[in-house]
Amino acid sequence: MMLDFLRYGTAVGLILLNAMVLATRATEEGIFTNHLLVQLHEGEHEKAHQLAKEHGYHSARKLPFGEGLFHFYPLETPQKRSKRSLRNRQRLEKDHRVKNVMVQEGFGRQKRGYRSISEIDIKMTDPLFSKQWYLINTGQADGTPGLDLNVAEAWELGYTGKGITIGIMDDGIDYLHPDLASNYNAEASYDFSSNDPYPYPRYTDDWFNSHGTRCAGEVSAAANNDICGVGVAYNSKVAGIRMLDQPFMTDIIEASSISHMPQVIDIYSASWGPTDDGKTVDGPRELTLQAMADGVNKGRGGKGSIYVWASGDGGSYDDCNCDGYASSMWTISINSAINDGRTALYDESCSSTLASTFSNGRKRNPEAGVATTDLYGNCTLRHSGTSAAAPEAAGVFALALEANPDLTWRDMQHLSVLTSKRNQLHDEVHQWRRNGVGLEFNHLFGYGVLDAGGMVKMAKEWKTVPERFHCVAGSLQEVHKIQSGENLLLTISTDSCQGKDNFVRYLEHVQAVVTVNGSRRGDLIVNMTSPMGTKSILLSRRPRDDDAKVGFDKWPFMTTHTWGEDPRGTWVLEVGFQGGKPQRGVLKEWTLMLHGTQSAPYIDQIVRDYQSKLAMSKKEELEEELDEAVERSLKSLLSKN
Amino acid sequence: MWSEDSILAHHNSGSLPVADIRDVFRDQVSEADIQRLLHGVMEQLGIARPRVEYPAHQATNIVGPQNIQGGAHEGLQHLGPYGNIPNIVAELTGDNIPKDFSQDHGYPDPPNPCPVGKTAADGCLDNVPDTAEFSREFQKQQHLFDPEHDYAALAKWNKELLYHKLKGGPKRSKRSVKNPYLMGQRLDNVVAKKSVPHYPDEEYTTTTLKTST
């Protein structure tokens, strides 16, 4: 057993080394960037920054490797960039404080497994295809080339969603639409708003009920038919579940929708949830909860229904951990990035977000929106919001399911963690960080943007992850006072149920079930740090929430950031207030729930790309298993003697 | 979900979360409560079964009206093929009352055109043109023949009215409001996240969406 590990470990190490040597090969011709290397007569950082500002640059960074050397960063104004930047540079060169200015030449650093856009050879006759930057981003609408779902690679491998049905839980689908009709699954569709099998949208003068049709097109619009654009999984079937268009929502409608034909519908896409007003804390009720649990336990022949959830449009004023649907372990909650890698202004952040796809936001250019089908046979370029992001993810998952129909709901989450890419996503507020096992994550984007090509390749050879266990790691029930200015710190030390049947060694989801209230709920903040040092922001400030009574009652805050970590050790919960006025509060409960596997989930997986997250995680697991095996045998040796 | 025996067998061997039991049995005991309790016990004893997911893992004590988004309650969509359809902006801040005239629309049933592969024998409408005009006229006709069906002023929608409608009152056409899915717990303010609220720092220089005709 031990020998086996050893041999395996060395082999992996050798191959890794090889791969690294190969990968250092740089490529490509020079392009001139707007980044400048500037040498000044004086080396003061403050002055350099001032100078940069004066000349139309964003900032200056002092370079440690030379006297008076600074890196001048350009302002992010993509339009008319070249002319203005030339002028700026010429002015800068003449400035008396400046000794020398050098334009930085850009050179290619090819990422492995990454292909340039010109290599993609996909021809579609659909008129809007070239506007679908989220499928293939060539820089349309001032976007960042290459920042897309990488569907081209999946398509070229032959995966287009054949045999997979995606249910769109929304306001109906225009299933007569010529771009959708052939991919419409009538048998799996239903209208819960008017209780019949035909979820055709209700007409209003403002065409308000176009949302489901738009979402359906993103997933399943037919290809090469000269109509509108192309769906992410253009040979998949789409089912309409009309459930958002009645005088009020009921628990029965929600529960019925998410459990509609779970043996036929593979993936459910949802763009609804608690009101994004920044002051609501709400989640699924009894029937819906039961239906969700049933879905993951029994749907798709026991492999589990895939629930894709939009993380919400509440922007920085809201936190999707207050949305019990998005923060559920059974849903894959998806956030969005815009076509240049920034966050959309409506993006809601939370630690339960697993990955991201694309939508519009903050850009004036109408073509920066999401191109898809629209009501009554029309097309649109301007589908928007985080709810445009969820169907894209549903489409990518359909491609993965076609590549490997045996994937369970948990496999899909593992694949999302392992194949999502940081790409060129940037977040002004939250840094990208690595968790205890080296997986890179961001509070807003989760593990990054979905990569369809990477996902189908890994899905194809994926071996279903080991059984999942649930461990209550500890529960504090004493009453603790909290007040502004001093954060309450609590700790739970846990062995993660080691020695019991439900020992959790490799984490998937972690929940902190918290009962807390305060004089202003919106000013409460909650952070949790894992034994391996990963800090999750479980709740950030919600300035609009002035609740002073209800607080959070056994609310399960969920984090995906500690994925893969060893949960044994000390967990720290930090609770406090943020905001102008002094607040007081009481914490009554913190229960730590760990969910994950006993055996290493990646150890048996086949590694093709030795720089992938999978390769890294597998190596990590091999090392840890080896360590533990050595420790065990030492112990047994000692006890024998 | 678990055999009674296994629960009893472990009853004496571990400490039960007494506070939980009291909480659960204080008021009415629903099946979900019992399940939650049992599950808690199983987990503390370390005999929880793997693989299966329990509602207890997500259950929370949510009370009061549910606030869900995901219906006709948001604005700023680019509506219609040319984007020239007026858009009513729902406010994010303030009173949480949607500023949306669809409240006055009522909810007539849309037409049920036959999808590919279905015919009138399946209870749908054959040869329906996929146009806004057809839907508008269809729903208008419905309004004429079944005035009660169109829930005008749904703000005044209440349990009495629902009861009245479900009990039927005078005999009504077959297409009347017998939607069983409207029974059970009602979730107020459930709305679809169809579009994005407007942010002041959005990179728009002019408003591209009109709010009046």
Side-chain angles (χ1 to χ4, degrees):
Chain A
M1 180 78 170
M2 253 178 63
L3 255 176
D4 241 34
F5 275 130
L6 267 175
R7 213 180 313 129
Y8 210 176
T10 344
V12 169
L14 276 176
I15 298 166
L16 261 172
L17 204 69
N18 249 329
M20 261 137 63
V21 173
L22 282 173
T24 37
R25 188 167 37 95
T27 47
E28 243 86 85
E29 73 279 38
I31 7 156
F32 288 93
T33 68
N34 286 338
H35 292 256
L36 300 184
L37 176 65
V38 180
Q39 192 172 23
L40 302 183
H41 295 291
E42 282 181 69
E44 252 179 84
H45 183 241
E46 276 301 307
K47 284 184 182 162
H49 192 69
Q50 189 59 36
L51 182 70
K53 289 270 186 204
E54 279 171 32
H55 288 282
Y57 289 85
H58 177 263
S59 55
R61 188 171 66 89
K62 190 169 172 53
L63 297 170
F65 42 78
E67 272 298 291
L69 281 184
F70 292 91
H71 179 179
F72 276 36
Y73 286 77
L75 284 171
E76 281 181 272
T77 40
Q79 266 153 351
K80 297 191 180 152
R81 158 203 299 170
S82 53
K83 243 189 214 162
R84 196 190 298 155
S85 76
L86 183 67
R87 256 186 284 125
N88 284 345
R89 203 178 73 224
Q90 285 166 340
R91 270 200 303 133
L92 184 66
E93 277 166 350
K94 285 181 195 142
D95 196 294
H96 65 94
R97 290 164 285 188
V98 175
K99 205 169 168 184
N100 219 334
V101 174
M102 270 162 65
V103 185
Q104 284 301 289
E105 193 183 330
F107 44 88
R109 273 275 186 271
Q110 197 95 16
K111 264 192 193 162
R112 293 202 82 221
Y114 222 84
R115 302 162 321 145
S116 93
I117 286 130
S118 55
E119 285 172 50
I120 296 172
D121 185 31
I122 302 262
K123 299 263 185 299
M124 297 279 181
T125 64
D126 308 73
L128 292 190
F129 178 63
S130 62
K131 314 262 188 222
Q132 290 181 291
W133 57 266
Y134 57 99
L135 298 178
I136 300 176
N137 193 336
T138 56
Q140 302 99 314
D142 302 320
T144 304
L147 189 57
D148 56 38
L149 296 171
N150 189 25
V151 287
E153 191 179 6
W155 293 346
E156 282 169 344
L157 290 168
Y159 301 112
T160 54
K162 274 186 298 294
I164 309 298
T165 292
I166 300 101
I168 305 289
M169 304 188 282
D170 214 292
D171 56 15
I173 292 182
D174 172 10
Y175 50 77
L176 299 181
H177 196 294
D179 210 15
L180 296 173
S182 58
N183 282 342
Y184 178 66
N185 189 336
E187 303 301 330
S189 296
Y190 203 80
D191 184 340
F192 290 101
S193 297
S194 18
N195 192 26
D196 60 57
Y198 304 104
Y200 195 74
R202 176 179 61 100
Y203 172 84
T204 66
D205 289 336
D206 61 2
W207 289 32
F208 194 84
N209 293 318
S210 55
H211 194 257
T213 304
R214 293 174 171 194
C215 290
E218 289 182 85
V219 186
S220 301
N224 281 316
N225 61 356
D226 303 304
I227 305 162
C228 296
V230 170
V232 170
Y234 56 78
N235 282 321
S236 64
K237 296 279 183 217
V238 66
I241 298 174
R242 182 167 173 258
M243 46 80 71
L244 286 181
D245 193 31
Q246 64 280 332
F248 49 81
M249 181 62 91
T250 66
D251 198 14
I252 299 183
I253 293 188
E254 282 188 9
S256 307
S257 301
I258 65 166
S259 58
H260 184 62
M261 304 193 77
Q263 306 311 329
V264 179
I265 296 178
D266 301 290
I267 302 166
Y268 297 77
S269 176
S271 316
W272 43 271
T275 320
D276 293 324
D277 54 8
K279 55 185 180 186
T280 302
V281 176
D282 215 329
R285 300 299 166 97
E286 194 165 332
L287 297 174
T288 305
L289 213 49
Q290 184 65 55
M292 275 180 162
D294 282 354
V296 293
N297 286 330
K298 301 172 198 159
R300 281 196 320 119
K303 296 187 289 286
S305 306
I306 313 285
Y307 297 114
V308 184
W309 230 268
S311 64
D313 287 328
S316 55
Y317 290 119
D318 212 341
D319 187 298
C320 40
N321 241 335
C322 295
D323 170 347
Y325 301 83
S327 71
S328 164
M329 302 182 288
W330 307 318
T331 61
I332 300 183
S333 117
I334 297 290
N335 210 338
S336 55
I338 69 171
N339 71 343
D340 59 10
R342 285 182 292 170
T343 66
L345 291 169
Y346 51 77
D347 272 348
E348 225 174 279
S349 58
C350 63
S351 53
S352 52
T353 297
L354 199 63
S356 301
T357 58
F358 298 99
S359 187
N360 81 327
R362 56 167 125 190
K363 286 228 171 178
R364 271 183 76 191
N365 192 331
E367 301 197 353
V370 171
T372 178
T373 50
D374 205 355
L375 265 190
Y376 309 123
N378 288 292
C379 313
T380 182
L381 285 172
R382 309 190 57 158
H383 187 31
S384 60
T386 174
S387 51
E392 289 170 26
V396 173
F397 298 151
L399 301 176
L401 275 188
E402 186 193 356
N404 183 351
D406 291 330
L407 297 177
T408 66
W409 69 277
R410 285 167 54 226
D411 290 328
M412 201 60 93
Q413 298 205 12
H414 279 275
L415 287 170
S416 299
V417 169
L418 291 177
T419 62
S420 292
K421 301 279 187 305
R422 176 175 174 175
N423 202 317
Q424 294 158 79
L425 300 179
H426 43 103
D427 175 0
E428 288 95 346
V429 185
H430 304 286
Q431 300 296 310
W432 281 86
R433 288 178 290 145
R434 282 181 190 279
N435 75 6
V437 290
L439 294 167
E440 203 170 23
F441 70 94
N442 174 284
H443 183 59
L444 206 61
F445 297 120
Y447 286 92
V449 63
L450 290 178
D451 178 323
M455 200 158 193
V456 296
K457 282 190 291 185
M458 200 176 284
K460 207 166 172 283
E461 299 180 307
W462 187 257
K463 299 193 177 78
T464 291
V465 290
E467 280 183 320
R468 170 165 155 115
F469 296 86
H470 314 287
C471 168
V472 180
S475 184
L476 302 182
Q477 308 273 354
E478 309 93 65
V479 173
H480 295 272
K481 287 197 177 127
I482 322 159
Q483 57 185 36
S484 294
E486 48 186 293
N487 289 356
L488 172 69
L489 290 176
L490 297 171
T491 58
I492 288 180
S493 293
T494 181
D495 60 0
S496 190
C497 302
Q498 189 166 14
K500 292 181 183 167
D501 283 352
N502 57 336
F503 173 42
V504 173
R505 169 62 183 82
Y506 294 92
L507 280 178
E508 290 175 352
H509 311 91
V510 176
Q511 289 171 304
V513 182
V514 174
T515 299
V516 62
N517 59 35
S519 46
R520 194 170 194 284
R521 184 171 65 185
D523 286 359
L524 271 171
I525 53 132
V526 183
N527 299 317
M528 187 167 69
T529 307
S530 74
M532 296 184 97
T534 305
K535 182 173 158 188
S536 302
I537 304 169
L538 298 185
L539 175 68
S540 32
R541 185 168 180 257
R542 301 201 305 162
R544 288 175 178 145
D545 180 3
D546 52 14
D547 163 86
K549 279 187 297 196
V550 186
F552 294 93
D553 189 8
K554 288 185 186 294
W555 189 257
F557 293 96
M558 195 269 274
T559 177
T560 59
H561 296 340
T562 50
W563 200 274
E565 290 190 2
D566 181 350
R568 291 171 295 178
T570 302
W571 292 76
V572 182
L573 190 79
E574 179 186 9
V575 186
F577 287 105
Q578 238 173 38
K581 291 189 184 143
Q583 309 288 350
R584 286 167 297 109
V586 174
L587 181 130
K588 291 177 186 152
E589 181 186 350
W590 169 32
T591 299
L592 182 64
M593 306 259 278
L594 309 173
H595 309 269
T597 60
Q598 259 160 49
S599 35
Y602 307 137
I603 222 156
D604 293 329
Q605 307 294 345
I606 296 165
V607 171
R608 297 282 172 198
D609 176 354
Y610 290 94
Q611 289 190 319
S612 62
K613 290 195 235 180
L614 175 61
M616 176 199 74
S617 301
K618 181 171 173 167
K619 185 170 160 276
E620 185 100 6
E621 285 182 358
L622 283 163
E623 284 169 4
E624 283 178 27
E625 292 284 321
L626 181 61
D627 280 354
E628 283 176 28
V630 168
E631 203 175 305
R632 270 198 305 275
S633 51
L634 276 177
K635 262 187 199 156
S636 75
L637 271 175
L638 282 173
S639 65
K640 267 179 205 157
N641 296 341
Chain B
M1 202 173 286
W2 304 281
S3 73
E4 292 295 317
D5 296 354
S6 69
I7 300 296
L8 288 174
H10 289 86
H11 199 274
N12 300 322
S13 60
S15 65
L16 292 169
V18 180
D20 280 5
I21 296 174
R22 224 184 296 126
D23 280 344
V24 166
F25 289 103
R26 194 173 44 206
D27 300 310
Q28 84 282 24
V29 184
S30 73
E31 199 191 325
D33 286 332
I34 294 171
Q35 205 189 41
R36 209 166 297 156
L37 171 74
L38 290 181
H39 181 66
V41 176
M42 305 284 282
E43 280 196 330
Q44 300 228 329
L45 295 173
I47 51 173
R49 296 200 189 145
R51 173 69 181 86
V52 181
E53 298 296 305
Y54 306 104
H57 286 145
Q58 194 61 41
T60 51
N61 303 336
I62 308 168
V63 286
Q66 189 177 30
N67 294 290
I68 297 289
Q69 200 158 15
H73 287 255
E74 266 181 296
L76 265 189
Q77 287 189 98
H78 189 83
L79 296 168
Y82 310 108
N84 56 351
I85 293 176
N87 215 303
I88 303 301
V89 178
E91 302 238 332
L92 248 190
T93 50
D95 49 14
N96 201 19
I97 295 167
K99 316 281 187 297
D100 189 335
F101 64 59
S102 61
Q103 273 213 343
D104 301 319
H105 274 188
Y107 284 81
D109 285 344
N112 289 331
C114 290
V116 172
K118 298 271 177 193
T119 62
D122 299 303
C124 50
L125 297 169
D126 264 333
N127 302 318
V128 169
D130 188 19
T131 62
E133 292 72 38
F134 179 85
S135 285
R136 189 178 57 222
E137 289 311 310
F138 178 90
Q139 290 173 195
K140 223 188 261 173
Q141 293 298 315
Q142 196 184 123
H143 185 80
L144 284 177
F145 289 121
D146 185 13
E148 258 188 286
H149 195 88
D150 202 359
Y151 316 124
L154 81 110
K156 293 180 197 103
W157 183 274
N158 56 32
K159 276 194 178 142
E160 284 74 28
L161 185 58
L162 177 65
Y163 181 79
H164 175 72
K165 282 196 176 289
L166 287 166
K167 284 292 159 196
K171 240 192 176 173
R172 308 247 305 270
S173 71
K174 234 174 74 191
R175 288 183 43 75
S176 76
V177 122
K178 287 245 160 91
N179 185 352
Y181 297 102
L182 289 177
M183 303 286 282
Q185 184 177 11
R186 171 177 161 175
L187 313 178
D188 283 323
N189 301 318
V190 171
V191 267
K193 304 194 176 173
K194 295 189 181 191
S195 75
V196 187
H198 184 69
Y199 285 88
D201 30 349
E202 218 158 305
E203 288 165 15
Y204 285 83
T205 45
T206 53
T207 45
T208 50
L209 297 155
K210 289 166 261 174
T211 48
S212 62
T213 32

